[in-house]
Amino acid sequence: MSKVVPHSFFTEFDIDLFKAGKHFRLYDKLGSHLTEVDGVKGTYFAVWAPSAKSVFVVGDFNFWTTGTHELHVRWDGSGIWEGFVPGVDKGTKYKYKIHSHNNDIWTEKADPFARYCEQPPNTASLVWDAPHKWQDSKWMDTREEKNGLDKPYSVYEVHLASWKKKNGWESLSYLEMADQLVDYVEKMGFTHVEFMPVMEYPFDPSWGYQLTGYFAPTSRFGKPEDFKMLVDKFHQRGIGVILDWVPSHFPEDAHGLGFFDGSHLYEHPDRRRGYHPDWKSLIFNYGRNEVRAFLISNAVFWLDQYHVDGLRVDAVASMLYLDYSREDGEWEPNMYGNNENLEAMSFLREMNQEVYASFKGVQTIAEESTAFSGVTKPVHYGGLGFGMKWMMGWMHDTLEFFKKEPIHRSYDLNAITFSMTYAFTENFMLPFSHDEVVYGKKSLLYRMPGDEWQRFANLRLLFGYMFTHPGGNLLFMGGEFGQSTEWNFQESLDWHLTQYDFHSGIQEVIKDLNKLYRTSPALYEKQFSPDGFQWIEYNDRENSVITYIRKGNDPKDDLIVACNFTPVPREDYRVGIPKHTQLKLVFNSDDTKYSGSGMGKKTLKPSKTTWNGHEQSVVMTLPPLAVVVYK
């Protein structure tokens, strides 16, 4: 006889919403939940498996045997199996053993809604709650004011397993990071931290981008409540937390979502739309209502249960195009005969609508590498509804330009100025992410040409140009001190380098640029508007110099920026300015405290000499391979 007591968390309204793909709090219903029924403590289990003829809960409470704990199917066509198991307590390991109507197949699966998982390579789910007394009310109450698009966005991207190691090999725990990582991000002046996926994943070399536990922080670094503590500590220091989120694909691991109930439940049944050839992974069926509800519930879950401030959505381009990474004959056009994935587009719009309607002061950020139009336009204007989009074109053009020897840069100056022709077509974030320092691309430092001094000067110039270009900023860990080797997910960053002046100088540059960005309204108030930028000179090929103005709401906040892309100092370099006023130096990447040469003038007095179309001008000294910023 079954030892499962009939019990349900679902109302008829819940079921109607679920079938319609409109239930966006499924984590409150599906999965395992500690509860009490008729005075008896135990666990309620619920799982979606419409192709099953029977579903059993197996675990260490019944010695992993099938037949003793069969769940009850709901007779409403929802495909949900559920029931209450007395005596099953917190920490119990379990899976679902599913007998399918499809060819009598048996599958044994981890719980898609599990809140905690065994540490890989083990694959069981754990019954868990994650109590935490939040201390971040000040941040949450004012987040809408701090996290808006007219506020600074300087993001430090982190891979938790390799940021820092103890004992030479062991990753820090969530609680250790709540001290060390939070202190470091605050000291460096970043406004936000972004974590590469923290959801449970089986395969370390995937860096977390192939998920099996969508609702569980990885157990590699501690318990779910420990991760809550980490987020809480960041918030107490006034730092926002962004999570990488992967609704684009998932792995075929036997315990995961693939072929879940003996059918293509979560993945699209047509391999032309359900299999990703690059990543050897499965693609969600965005046209299936229950799958959409699963994914949107997952986005909501991290914002709701973990107080997360933003989601950076991975691989959006792969979702938008049916022919993404496919040859002719390997894909099928949509109903209009073109290559857009209409179901994925609809899903992304609905996800963004739900997120922005339900949570104040959050942002969604798209990693989208094509020229797809309207990624950050509101849904009611026909856009996808994201808050920001990674500016991949800028990143590529900028790094290609900087790797050139300076003598050749005059011929390719348009590579560095071209971004301004489209900079305001979307709300762009400028990313130097983990993808730019792996697979033989070299570290940012070693992409720079020249001798040691020039490499570091180029890197300081690169960062100065980045922070004064319109848009938010993202920098992958290690870049902020000039990591010399490519990122290795198995090893710690090379923190010993910071004892050397050139490397500590890069750290000081990032600190000061973050401070400049946070304290200069001209750099963020209109960072997504053409009103916030004005060229002074973009075509001085002879000197390889560009000059421009960044503008805020108040003209007195305006900044004038000059970038010298050659190692030749430009003395007596005249620059037209819009007002007859003295200028004060607020940043110089060639400062001696950064191990620069110390060239440059602290103040500039204007003259009535017409230049660059302005009736007044100043004469600057432009240091070699440097950016100077005046107010």
Side-chain angles (χ1 to χ4, degrees), residues 10 77 88 96 110 138 142 192 216 300 354 404 485-486 496 586:
F10 286 89
V88 171
Y96 296 118
K138 182 179 178 181
T142 60
H192 293 74
V300 167
E354 177 62 24
K404 295 179 185 294
T485 59
E486 283 191 346
H496 65 278
V586 292

Side-chain angles (χ1 to χ4, degrees), residues 139 182 185-186 190-193 231 234-235 237-241 309:
W139 168 266
V182 173
V185 173
E186 181 183 42
F190 290 97
T191 65
H192 293 74
V193 66
V231 175
F234 272 114
H235 284 173
R237 305 287 185 89
I239 298 166
V241 178
D309 308 294

Side-chain angles (χ1 to χ4, degrees), residues 424-442:
F424 306 109
T425 58
E426 302 278 5
N427 300 334
F428 281 118
M429 176 176 283
L430 315 180
F432 288 140
S433 73
H434 63 275
D435 280 327
E436 309 320 314
V437 291
V438 290
Y439 298 144
K441 295 178 181 177
K442 301 180 181 178

Side-chain angles (χ1 to χ4, degrees), residues 368-420:
E368 204 285 309
S369 55
T370 73
F372 189 93
S373 178
V375 172
T376 59
K377 295 294 185 291
V379 172
H380 57 269
Y381 288 144
L384 294 181
F386 285 93
M388 281 177 271
K389 169 182 170 174
W390 276 15
M391 199 175 189
M392 308 295 280
W394 172 89
M395 175 275 299
H396 179 267
D397 291 346
T398 298
L399 292 178
E400 283 296 305
F401 176 84
F402 267 85
K403 79 177 186 180
K404 295 179 185 294
E405 293 289 343
I407 195 171
H408 300 303
R409 289 177 178 174
S410 62
Y411 304 108
D412 202 25
L413 200 60
N414 65 302
I416 211 73
T417 60
F418 177 69
S419 63
M420 294 312 304

Side-chain angles (χ1 to χ4, degrees), residues 238-307:
I239 298 166
V241 178
I242 302 167
L243 299 187
D244 276 10
W245 184 54
V246 191
S248 48
H249 64 116
F250 58 93
E252 291 189 280
D253 293 63
H255 68 288
L257 297 178
F259 213 56
F260 186 81
D261 61 352
S263 73
H264 299 291
L265 189 61
Y266 288 91
E267 68 272 23
H268 199 286
D270 186 340
R271 293 285 277 190
R272 293 173 298 179
R273 298 180 64 176
Y275 181 74
H276 200 296
D278 285 354
W279 301 317
K280 306 294 188 291
S281 56
L282 301 174
I283 300 171
F284 285 103
N285 185 355
Y286 304 108
R288 188 164 192 169
N289 287 342
E290 296 90 344
V291 172
R292 292 163 71 104
F294 168 82
L295 287 171
I296 296 175
S297 290
N298 187 239
V300 167
F301 171 79
W302 294 101
L303 300 165
D304 174 26
Q305 298 289 301
Y306 285 84
H307 289 201

Side-chain angles (χ1 to χ4, degrees), residues 9 30 37 82 98 101 112 176 181 199 267 339 344 393-394 470 566:
F9 278 11
L30 290 166
V37 175
E82 61 185 351
I98 302 170
H101 279 293
E176 288 168 329
L181 179 58
M199 304 81 182
E267 68 272 23
N339 66 342
W394 172 89
T566 73

Side-chain angles (χ1 to χ4, degrees), residues 171-236:
S171 297
L172 301 184
S173 68
Y174 291 130
L175 295 180
E176 288 168 329
M177 285 183 268
D179 291 326
Q180 298 182 42
L181 179 58
V182 173
D183 283 348
Y184 182 73
V185 173
E186 181 183 42
K187 181 181 77 170
M188 292 301 297
F190 290 97
T191 65
H192 293 74
V193 66
E194 178 179 320
F195 296 134
M196 293 165 67
V198 299
M199 304 81 182
E200 194 60 82
Y201 57 98
F203 188 49
D204 287 344
S206 79
W207 311 334
Y209 287 97
Q210 299 219 0
L211 306 178
T212 51
Y214 271 77
F215 291 83
T218 178
S219 55
R220 289 166 173 82
F221 316 117
K223 300 173 183 177
E225 53 265 41
D226 298 340
F227 182 64
K228 287 182 178 179
M229 176 64 78
L230 176 58
V231 175
D232 203 345
K233 290 290 187 182
F234 272 114
H235 284 173
Q236 291 173 41

